[in-house]
Amino acid sequence: MGCGNTTSTGTKDGVTEKARVTFVLGGPGCGKGTQCSLMVERDDFVHLSAGDLLREEQATDSKDSKLIKDYIKEGKIVPVEITCNLILKAMQKKGMSKKFLIDGFPRNEDNLQGWNKVMNKHANVVQVVFFELSEDIMLERIMKRAETSGRADDNKEAAEKRFNTFKNETMKVIKHFEGKKMVHKVDATGGIEDVYENLKDGLIV
Ligand code: C5P
Ligand code: MG
């Protein structure tokens, strides 16, 4: 396991700087992307969405395109070598001294181990934001998004698969970080500004 072999980190006065990372997790359709956009505008974060990076990679016709497409359609988690490599490259492009929101990652044990193996020397994880929302509302939001997103997995059938992946795999990662007292749990039920208020209360910026 592992991802990429690039070694560049930010430097300041000759001292190597590590990226400051906030993981952003929650079930599909819970509003991760929406809230990340607000944190970019208001709190000076740089936002990287693992799902967006995978969709971009899929669209380039690279050697991993077909695999990514198949995994996304099934709501399964792509092997970390692919995802982590895309994240690292994107972080390096932005400059490693930034504070990053990494949205939709780590989604399972494989993601977490791959990150630890390759990224611990490049980045410090400072907190994990967990948006909590009922499946009913997540499905409502996904079906609303489906009207414009064009995403192959924004439909009821794929959403059910993604809910299962979330419950069976991602919740374990959240529990792991809860054990380390790193999780900031946010009620994602209300409107965009209500959720942002809940988020700000306890967010490390
Ligand atoms: O986060 P988002 O809902 O955009 O993710 C869409 C899909 O991308 C996931 O259901 C999964 O198939 C894939 N993905 C992944 N590994 C991640 C993040 C997303 O395989 N860490
Ligand atoms: Mg998203």
Side-chain angles (χ1 to χ4, degrees), residues 89-101:
K89 275 200 299 199
M91 288 173 76
Q92 286 171 331
K93 216 163 139 192
K94 299 281 186 190
M96 293 300 277
S97 56
K98 300 271 167 45
K99 50 179 202 180
F100 289 93
L101 300 169

Side-chain angles (χ1 to χ4, degrees), residues 32-33 49 52 55 103 145 151:
K32 299 185 290 292
S49 151
D52 287 349
R55 281 185 287 274
D103 152 10
R145 184 171 67 188
R151 279 179 53 168

Side-chain angles (χ1 to χ4, degrees), residues 32 50-52 54-55 71-72 75-78 83 104-105 107 111 151 153 162:
K32 299 185 290 292
D52 287 349
L54 287 166
R55 281 185 287 274
Y71 272 67
I72 287 180
K76 292 195 304 189
I77 307 304
V78 172
T83 315
F105 186 96
R107 280 276 228 297
N111 274 189
R151 279 179 53 168
D153 59 351
R162 293 157 71 201

Side-chain angles (χ1 to χ4, degrees), residues 44-62:
D44 206 27
F45 282 100
V46 173
H47 174 216
L48 296 175
S49 151
D52 287 349
L53 290 170
L54 287 166
R55 281 185 287 274
E56 274 165 33
E57 182 68 8
Q58 186 212 300
T60 61
D61 256 349
S62 75

Side-chain angles (χ1 to χ4, degrees), residues 40-41 51 58 100 169 204:
V40 168
E41 271 171 34
Q58 186 212 300
F100 289 93
E169 302 188 47
I204 303 167

Side-chain angles (χ1 to χ4, degrees), residues 8-24:
S8 87
T9 46
T11 62
K12 196 179 184 183
D13 304 329
V15 179
T16 303
E17 254 189 294
K18 282 191 183 183
R20 274 189 302 153
V21 166
T22 294
F23 289 142
V24 181

Side-chain angles (χ1 to χ4, degrees), residues 3 5 9 39 53 71 92 116 133 187 205:
C3 50
N5 51 13
T9 46
M39 286 187 273
L53 290 170
Y71 272 67
Q92 286 171 331
N116 286 338
L133 190 62
D187 178 0
V205 292

